[in-house]
Amino acid sequence: MLSCVYYGHIDKEGAERLLEKHGKDGSFLLRDSQSVRGAFCLCVRKTPFVHTYRIEHTSLGWAVETINRAKPQWFPSLDELIECYRKHTPDHMVPLLYPLEKANLCVEDRSNPVAKLSYMEM
């Protein structure tokens, strides 16, 4: 699952454009954090916004940063974190319903040269 939704080093605006153009409410992707080295951002669309949750790694494992520094839930891997939150979304998060898979975007881009150019600029 992780490799399908991991977009690497794209910025916040690029992630938002992808989710707005190719996603729907509940679509999500994972990207590198721009502000915290080694952290990731889970971006989830819920119209009219794209919500971003920072995921950090410590010796305890992986966790989504919580509101008011409440005690986070720790996972041994990013895959397990995402799969758990897809099944049981915490109250403070938007549900993770539809992975925005990179492979699907590439197929769509090949059929539309203009879409390919706009995707590649990110």
Side-chain angles (χ1 to χ4, degrees), residues 63-80:
V64 172
E65 223 175 60
T66 56
I67 298 170
N68 299 327
R69 294 289 186 197
K71 185 177 178 182
Q73 183 176 0
W74 296 98
F75 297 89
S77 72
L78 278 172
D79 270 322
E80 289 179 61

Side-chain angles (χ1 to χ4, degrees), residues 9-95:
H9 191 69
I10 64 170
D11 62 14
K12 177 182 176 184
E13 291 78 18
E16 289 174 352
R17 281 194 303 264
L18 283 172
L19 286 163
E20 288 167 3
K21 182 176 181 179
H22 301 285
K24 53 188 171 185
D25 279 3
S27 293
F28 66 94
L29 62 82
L30 189 70
R31 66 175 177 83
D32 294 333
S33 171
Q34 294 177 284
S35 58
V36 178
R37 188 178 182 94
F40 295 94
C41 290
L42 181 61
C43 304
V44 189
R45 180 178 173 177
K46 179 162 168 88
T47 304
F49 303 108
V50 172
H51 299 262
T52 302
Y53 307 98
R54 183 176 295 136
I55 300 173
E56 295 187 284
H57 184 255
T58 70
S59 60
L60 298 172
W62 297 91
V64 172
E65 223 175 60
T66 56
I67 298 170
N68 299 327
R69 294 289 186 197
K71 185 177 178 182
Q73 183 176 0
W74 296 98
F75 297 89
S77 72
L78 278 172
D79 270 322
E80 289 179 61
L81 181 150
I82 290 171
E83 285 305 316
C84 179
Y85 284 176
R86 287 189 73 194
K87 294 175 186 167
H88 307 286
T89 306
D91 292 337
H92 69 279
M93 289 181 68
V94 175

Side-chain angles (χ1 to χ4, degrees), residues 84-110:
C84 179
Y85 284 176
R86 287 189 73 194
K87 294 175 186 167
H88 307 286
T89 306
D91 292 337
H92 69 279
M93 289 181 68
V94 175
L96 308 178
L97 302 175
Y98 311 105
L100 190 67
E101 297 183 15
K102 292 185 297 187
N104 293 343
L105 296 182
C106 292
V107 168
E108 181 179 316
D109 289 343
R110 275 188 235 119

